[in-house]
Amino acid sequence: MSGIHIKQIGKKIRELFENHIDHTDIGINDNDRDNKILTRCLAAYGIYKNSDCSVEDAADSVVDGGDDNGIDAIYYSPLNKKMIILQSKWSNTGIGEPDSAGVSKFCTGIKDLFNTDFERFNEKIKRKTIQIKKALEEYDTKYEILFIDTHTAQNLAIHSTRHIEDILKEMNDTGDDSQDQIVSFKRLHQGKVFSSLAKSSGNDPIDLEIGLTQWGMVSEPHKAFYGMISGEEIASWWDNYETRLFEKNIRQVLGTTEVNEEIEKTLNDYPDLFWYFNNGITIICDTVTKSKLGGSTRDLGSFMLKNIAVVNGAQTVSTIGKYLSKQIENNLENVKVHLRIISLNETPERFGEDVTKTNNRQNRIENRDFVSQDPEQLRIKTELTIEGIDYSIMRSESFRTSDNSFDLNEATVSLACAKNKTSLVVQVKRGIGKYYENLEKGIYKEIFNGAIQGIYVFNCVKVNRIIEGILYNQTRLLPKRSGRKYGMLVHGNRIISQLSFGDLDISQELNSIDFEPDTNRIEQIVLNNITKVEDILIENYSENILGTLFKNSSKCNHIVELIKNANG
């Protein structure tokens, strides 16, 4: 059946992506034109299937072509802080497994990408330089190495596997006991590609019969019902329809994210409290009809829904749906989820689209959002307000930094660097969100506590801004914004800042309202530390990927210790 499946895959992905991908560099008379187009369509499908993007964005992510360095697609989602780096292999026969030489080239390309060595890539990738740099420099970015192909072998050959394992080991080596995975790997072979296309291509509408407890109804201006539904019933939806449930949802299923992990933790630890901890699910449908089951009471009701779509709560549905496969015991009968059902019958023409868009525009709550209620933060904010300084501790799209304003992220980075403790600085690079997981103890309390004055925070920010400005100016002086020197200035910025704060030795002065940074002295110290870090990298870490080296505690500690010892 492999040949038939390959033809069906090819037909479907061409329908989806051929008119959107760039194939102007493939000659009309190229004997391999069809295979090259299919390779690119397959790459676009891999991105589309594993992200929150549109068909057009997935097609735009394709960078396959001459000098692609083994990378066929790159996509970064700022919303989910996730970057996908993909290689695609189209086989007309499906026999065997992808060759290890191609996988090796892919891994080399990934290393060059993380080292910002853009000169080794084609123009398609160079045009994505800003997007790639943003992903590499952004706090908390996660990376997925994705391999998609039409081979039947479910496992890669031993040499290919070794290449992948080696790069994962290097890039996830944090130098301590941290279990955080910065980079993950996923493969979609022929069977998985065919299965995902088959499940998502059903044209028949989905009709559901749903049981709600403690239900209610909204009559005006448009008909809707709400109530509690069991986790078992939601799991049955997933078992029957999987991602077809979300065809009208903007975000689809986003793979392993912080949200999924929180949902699964609640299922494991607090199944009976799930309704209280979860935002719930919203379904739109053509019509909804209540049966006579339960009579006129609101304790229990049965509803028939025609042509449904889950427009909000995809992560909840998919996590519950996948939960049973991971567990020995089924405790979903104790899980209750809030459900809204909105009927589109007799509504304005675009009402369903409006419901979908508005439900997905809402920002999810992050750990950092709870910081705004921390008494220490409120104290610091008040102290600074008196001095005419705006300290923004709540997320806000309208907030803009200025000479007299800064936000929580900037404060966290600056205080971590000023503390002159390498583990704190490395955690900023690895994922700043870790600081806000526990506001009662740990690394958060090391930098935000009763001994920290508001003016000290602001002065740390002022010094760190000067350091960042010097580093930025040094990147501008480079003949090209790529390569190891550029990577060191970008990825090693926090370590250089930490070293510079230590050399400045101004902890007492930072507590003064009258403090004014000595810009010339700071510049001299920063430039000196740039040279020292660069020399150590050449001598000790010439083969390391810089994007992950500065997220490794033991290696960063080693760099700092070598410099301190050299300083005497």
Side-chain angles (χ1 to χ4, degrees):
M1 294 294 289
S2 174
I4 296 174
H5 286 176
I6 289 173
K7 288 180 180 179
Q8 290 174 325
I9 291 170
K11 181 176 182 293
K12 184 61 179 178
I13 61 176
R14 289 187 89 142
E15 288 175 356
L16 283 170
F17 300 107
E18 185 171 5
N19 291 333
H20 301 287
I21 61 170
D22 174 26
H23 43 72
T24 55
D25 57 333
I26 305 174
I28 297 295
N29 298 319
D30 189 328
N31 292 331
D32 205 29
R33 178 179 171 83
D34 280 350
N35 282 347
K36 290 178 179 178
I37 290 175
L38 285 165
T39 295
R40 295 181 186 184
C41 289
L42 188 63
Y45 179 69
I47 296 295
Y48 181 71
K49 175 66 178 173
N50 290 274
S51 72
D52 57 347
C53 72
S54 65
V55 167
E56 292 76 14
D57 287 341
D60 185 62
S61 74
V62 177
V63 295
D64 174 59
D67 297 323
D68 61 25
N69 212 353
I71 297 175
D72 295 324
I74 300 172
Y75 178 76
Y76 173 60
S77 169
L79 175 67
N80 300 297
K81 293 187 177 179
K82 176 183 174 182
M83 184 175 182
I84 302 174
I85 307 167
L86 177 147
Q87 186 177 74
S88 169
K89 291 294 180 185
W90 179 267
S91 168
N92 285 316
T93 65
I95 297 172
E97 67 277 323
D99 68 283
S100 62
V103 176
S104 176
K105 183 180 179 182
F106 182 38
C107 292
T108 299
I110 293 170
K111 290 182 180 181
D112 288 338
L113 196 73
F114 272 77
N115 284 328
T116 64
D117 202 348
F118 295 110
E119 293 304 310
R120 299 190 176 190
F121 293 98
N122 61 23
E123 288 301 316
K124 293 181 182 181
I125 293 179
K126 289 177 182 176
R127 286 197 290 269
K128 295 185 178 295
T129 297
I130 294 175
Q131 176 188 356
I132 294 166
K133 286 180 178 178
K134 179 176 175 60
L136 294 175
E137 296 169 15
E138 189 65 67
Y139 303 121
D140 301 337
T141 300
K142 298 289 186 181
Y143 306 90
E144 182 173 81
I145 298 172
L146 182 59
F147 197 96
I148 184 168
D149 61 271
T150 55
H151 291 276
T152 54
Q154 296 191 11
N155 298 312
L156 293 173
I158 185 169
H159 294 295
S160 298
T161 301
R162 201 169 290 157
H163 291 314
I164 296 296
E165 289 176 348
D166 286 347
I167 195 170
L168 289 177
K169 181 179 179 181
E170 180 177 356
M171 300 183 83
N172 285 318
D173 180 9
T174 58
D176 53 25
D177 296 328
S178 172
Q179 299 300 308
D180 288 347
Q181 295 292 297
I182 299 168
V183 183
S184 61
F185 173 73
K186 183 176 184 179
R187 180 185 170 217
L188 296 176
H189 53 67
Q190 182 195 131
K192 289 183 177 179
V193 173
F194 181 80
S195 177
S196 67
L197 282 168
K199 288 178 179 177
S200 63
S201 63
N203 294 318
D204 294 335
I206 298 174
D207 299 335
L208 293 177
E209 186 173 3
I210 289 176
L212 292 181
T213 58
Q214 305 297 311
W215 65 274
M217 183 177 73
V218 176
S219 300
E220 299 292 339
H222 307 298
K223 189 176 181 180
F225 294 88
Y226 58 89
M228 290 190 293
I229 188 168
S230 73
E232 281 187 316
E233 194 162 348
I234 293 170
S236 71
W237 302 349
W238 179 262
D239 187 50
N240 289 324
Y241 303 107
E242 291 197 358
T243 57
R244 281 191 61 208
L245 293 163
F246 317 127
E247 288 182 354
K248 296 178 184 177
N249 191 315
I250 291 172
R251 291 180 183 157
Q252 284 277 341
V253 179
L254 305 178
T256 301
T257 66
E258 183 181 317
V259 175
N260 299 75
E261 291 169 356
E262 287 290 335
I263 293 171
E264 189 167 318
K265 179 177 173 60
T266 304
L267 290 172
N268 274 321
D269 301 343
Y270 312 104
D272 55 328
L273 298 178
F274 194 91
W275 184 89
Y276 297 93
F277 294 172
N278 184 264
N279 289 333
I281 300 165
T282 300
I283 286 177
I284 59 174
C285 57
D286 287 351
T287 61
V288 55
T289 306
K290 184 189 176 301
S291 74
K292 295 181 179 179
L293 179 66
S296 60
T297 69
R298 297 296 177 96
D299 294 333
L300 175 66
S302 178
F303 301 84
M304 176 56 71
L305 284 58
K306 296 288 187 181
N307 192 20
I308 71 100
V310 176
V311 296
N312 191 253
Q315 303 302 92
T316 297
V317 174
S318 63
T319 303
I320 290 174
K322 296 173 183 177
Y323 182 75
L324 284 182
S325 63
K326 300 180 181 180
Q327 308 301 317
I328 297 175
E329 294 184 12
N330 175 14
N331 64 350
L332 290 181
E333 62 184 15
N334 299 319
V335 172
K336 303 298 180 187
V337 185
H338 181 69
L339 175 66
R340 289 193 307 161
I341 305 166
I342 300 174
S343 172
L344 300 182
N345 187 36
E346 297 182 355
T347 61
E349 183 179 354
R350 302 182 66 86
F351 183 68
E353 294 178 26
D354 292 339
V355 170
T356 302
K357 290 177 181 177
T358 53
N359 271 266
N360 284 280
R361 282 189 185 132
Q362 299 170 10
N363 291 324
R364 67 182 176 88
I365 300 296
E366 296 180 355
N367 285 327
R368 69 144 289 171
D369 294 314
F370 296 102
V371 175
S372 63
Q373 304 302 313
D374 178 23
E376 296 294 353
Q377 293 290 345
L378 295 171
R379 173 186 60 79
I380 293 170
K381 181 176 177 63
T382 300
E383 290 176 2
L384 290 171
T385 300
I386 293 171
E387 299 298 329
I389 300 163
D390 181 16
Y391 175 36
S392 177
I393 56 178
M394 297 180 67
R395 280 194 299 162
S396 170
E397 291 183 359
S398 61
F399 176 77
R400 297 291 181 270
T401 58
S402 69
D403 289 345
N404 286 311
S405 65
F406 64 98
D407 65 6
L408 175 65
N409 273 358
E410 193 173 11
T412 304
V413 171
S414 302
L415 290 174
C417 293
K419 189 76 173 178
N420 197 13
K421 185 175 178 180
T422 307
S423 61
L424 296 178
V425 174
V426 170
Q427 187 55 61
V428 166
K429 294 299 290 187
R430 193 184 296 169
I432 200 170
K434 203 77 173 176
Y435 276 88
Y436 315 128
E437 287 186 356
N438 191 327
L439 307 185
E440 303 298 325
K441 59 181 181 179
I443 56 176
Y444 176 80
K445 279 300 184 184
E446 286 197 59
I447 60 174
F448 292 112
N449 53 65
I452 301 298
Q453 298 182 45
I455 197 64
Y456 175 84
V457 179
F458 180 53
N459 286 334
C460 286
V461 168
K462 287 199 292 187
V463 172
N464 199 57
R465 283 180 177 180
I466 294 171
I467 294 171
E468 289 182 342
I470 295 166
L471 292 172
Y472 175 72
N473 288 335
Q474 288 300 300
T475 65
R476 302 268 298 180
L477 294 174
L478 295 173
K480 57 183 181 181
R481 294 194 186 183
S482 63
R484 288 191 67 82
K485 178 68 176 285
Y486 177 84
M488 183 267 293
L489 292 170
V490 171
H491 298 300
N493 58 343
R494 304 308 178 203
I495 287 295
I496 294 170
S497 183
Q498 174 199 338
L499 290 166
S500 300
F501 266 105
D503 291 343
L504 286 166
D505 192 23
I506 53 173
S507 296
Q508 295 303 315
E509 292 93 321
L510 291 171
N511 282 303
S512 171
I513 294 174
D514 300 321
F515 171 77
E516 286 297 331
D518 184 341
T519 305
N520 291 331
R521 180 169 178 247
I522 294 172
E523 183 172 18
Q524 182 181 356
I525 287 173
V526 172
L527 294 177
N528 190 33
N529 281 318
I530 288 173
T531 300
K532 290 176 181 178
V533 173
E534 185 177 17
D535 289 344
I536 288 173
L537 292 181
I538 292 171
E539 185 175 347
N540 297 274
Y541 299 104
S542 61
E543 298 300 319
N544 279 244
I545 301 172
L546 297 181
T548 53
L549 183 146
F550 289 104
K551 296 176 182 177
N552 183 297
S553 292
S554 62
K555 291 177 181 178
C556 287
N557 272 318
H558 183 231
I559 292 169
V560 171
E561 288 304 313
L562 286 174
I563 291 174
K564 286 182 177 179
N565 292 337
N567 291 341

